[in-house]
Amino acid sequence: MESQILEFIGIDPGIIFIIMALLMLLLFIYMVKISFKMTRFLQKYKQFMRGKDGVSLEKSFLRSFAELDMLMESSKNHMEEIRKLKEVQSKTFVKTAIVKYDAFKEVGGKLSFALAMLDQENNGFVLNAIHNRDGCYTYIKEIVKGESYIILGEEEKEALRQAVNSYSEMQNAYIPTERS
């Protein structure tokens, strides 16, 4: 039956054998070439995995991962501390201004002053110190959300206005970026 197929195609079986032998020889040469490449790769891999001074790369990776875990934990702690600092800062007096003036015509030198101190939400106080020849008198007025329930004098109003504006100017000059 095989001879009928070869006769029908018209190819000599010797030619098929030679082609198959050449093909096997090419495959053998290719396999030897791949084997050499694999051997060189394994040598480089072993050298790479050996690492510096006989320390394995695996140990080096494990050490790096442990350090990374410590850094992540430290970063979480720092973020918590920053959050607490921001919370405290929101309650501190960050908006301040002072206006010096002469309360009385006979006393010069601008010894009287109005001092405004506010937090980020414009809560705080205005301290007014009035100096005359007999002494110095101080008055304090509470400020809630930028307003006083007690009538403010001109100097007190000016100190309050400057305090609010000075903080907004400072915010425009430096706008921090938050990282998620």
Side-chain angles (χ1 to χ4, degrees), residues 7 9 14 18 20 37 76 114 137 142:
E7 283 179 23
I9 295 176
I18 292 172
M20 292 299 280
K37 281 187 176 181
K76 286 179 186 176
Y137 301 96
E142 183 180 17

Short mmCIF file of all heavy atoms in Angstrom, two decimals, residues 7 9 14 18 20 37 76 114 137 142:
data_model
loop_
_atom_site.label_atom_id
_atom_site.label_comp_id
_atom_site.label_asym_id
_atom_site.label_seq_id
_atom_site.Cartn_x
_atom_site.Cartn_y
_atom_site.Cartn_z
N GLU A 7 4.20 5.86 -5.47
CA GLU A 7 4.17 5.84 -6.93
C GLU A 7 3.18 6.87 -7.43
O GLU A 7 3.41 7.54 -8.44
CB GLU A 7 3.77 4.45 -7.42
CG GLU A 7 4.89 3.45 -7.35
CD GLU A 7 4.44 2.08 -7.83
OE1 GLU A 7 3.47 2.00 -8.59
OE2 GLU A 7 5.08 1.11 -7.42
N ILE A 9 2.34 9.73 -5.96
CA ILE A 9 2.92 11.06 -5.79
C ILE A 9 4.09 11.24 -6.74
O ILE A 9 4.32 12.33 -7.25
CB ILE A 9 3.39 11.26 -4.34
CG1 ILE A 9 2.19 11.23 -3.39
CG2 ILE A 9 4.11 12.58 -4.16
CD1 ILE A 9 2.55 11.33 -1.93
N GLY A 14 13.91 7.20 -1.24
CA GLY A 14 15.26 7.61 -0.81
C GLY A 14 15.34 9.11 -0.57
O GLY A 14 16.01 9.58 0.35
N ILE A 18 16.32 11.09 2.88
CA ILE A 18 17.37 12.12 2.96
C ILE A 18 16.81 13.41 3.55
O ILE A 18 17.43 14.05 4.41
CB ILE A 18 18.00 12.36 1.57
CG1 ILE A 18 18.78 11.11 1.13
CG2 ILE A 18 18.90 13.57 1.58
CD1 ILE A 18 19.28 11.16 -0.28
N MET A 20 14.24 13.70 5.54
CA MET A 20 13.97 13.46 6.96
C MET A 20 15.28 13.46 7.77
O MET A 20 15.32 13.98 8.89
CB MET A 20 13.24 12.12 7.15
CG MET A 20 11.83 12.12 6.60
SD MET A 20 10.79 13.32 7.39
CE MET A 20 10.39 12.45 8.86
N LYS A 37 22.56 27.75 25.29
CA LYS A 37 21.95 28.99 25.80
C LYS A 37 21.37 28.76 27.19
O LYS A 37 21.50 29.61 28.07
CB LYS A 37 20.84 29.46 24.85
CG LYS A 37 21.35 30.18 23.64
CD LYS A 37 20.19 30.76 22.85
CE LYS A 37 20.68 31.57 21.68
NZ LYS A 37 19.58 32.17 20.92
N LYS A 76 2.12 55.11 58.29
CA LYS A 76 0.78 55.17 58.89
C LYS A 76 0.81 55.95 60.19
O LYS A 76 -0.07 56.77 60.46
CB LYS A 76 0.24 53.76 59.14
CG LYS A 76 -0.19 53.04 57.90
CD LYS A 76 -0.68 51.64 58.24
CE LYS A 76 -0.98 50.84 56.98
NZ LYS A 76 -1.37 49.45 57.29
N ALA A 114 -5.26 97.37 69.73
CA ALA A 114 -6.31 96.35 69.61
C ALA A 114 -5.66 95.13 68.98
O ALA A 114 -5.05 95.21 67.91
CB ALA A 114 -7.46 96.86 68.76
N TYR A 137 -5.92 100.10 80.72
CA TYR A 137 -7.12 99.29 80.93
C TYR A 137 -7.27 98.34 79.74
O TYR A 137 -7.11 98.75 78.59
CB TYR A 137 -8.36 100.20 81.04
CG TYR A 137 -8.24 101.19 82.19
CD1 TYR A 137 -7.78 102.49 81.96
CD2 TYR A 137 -8.57 100.80 83.48
CE1 TYR A 137 -7.64 103.38 83.02
CE2 TYR A 137 -8.44 101.71 84.54
CZ TYR A 137 -7.98 102.99 84.29
OH TYR A 137 -7.85 103.87 85.32
N GLU A 142 -15.27 88.63 72.85
CA GLU A 142 -15.28 87.32 72.19
C GLU A 142 -15.73 87.46 70.73
O GLU A 142 -16.65 88.22 70.43
CB GLU A 142 -16.22 86.37 72.93
CG GLU A 142 -16.22 84.97 72.36
CD GLU A 142 -17.16 84.04 73.12
OE1 GLU A 142 -18.03 84.51 73.86
OE2 GLU A 142 -17.01 82.82 72.92
#
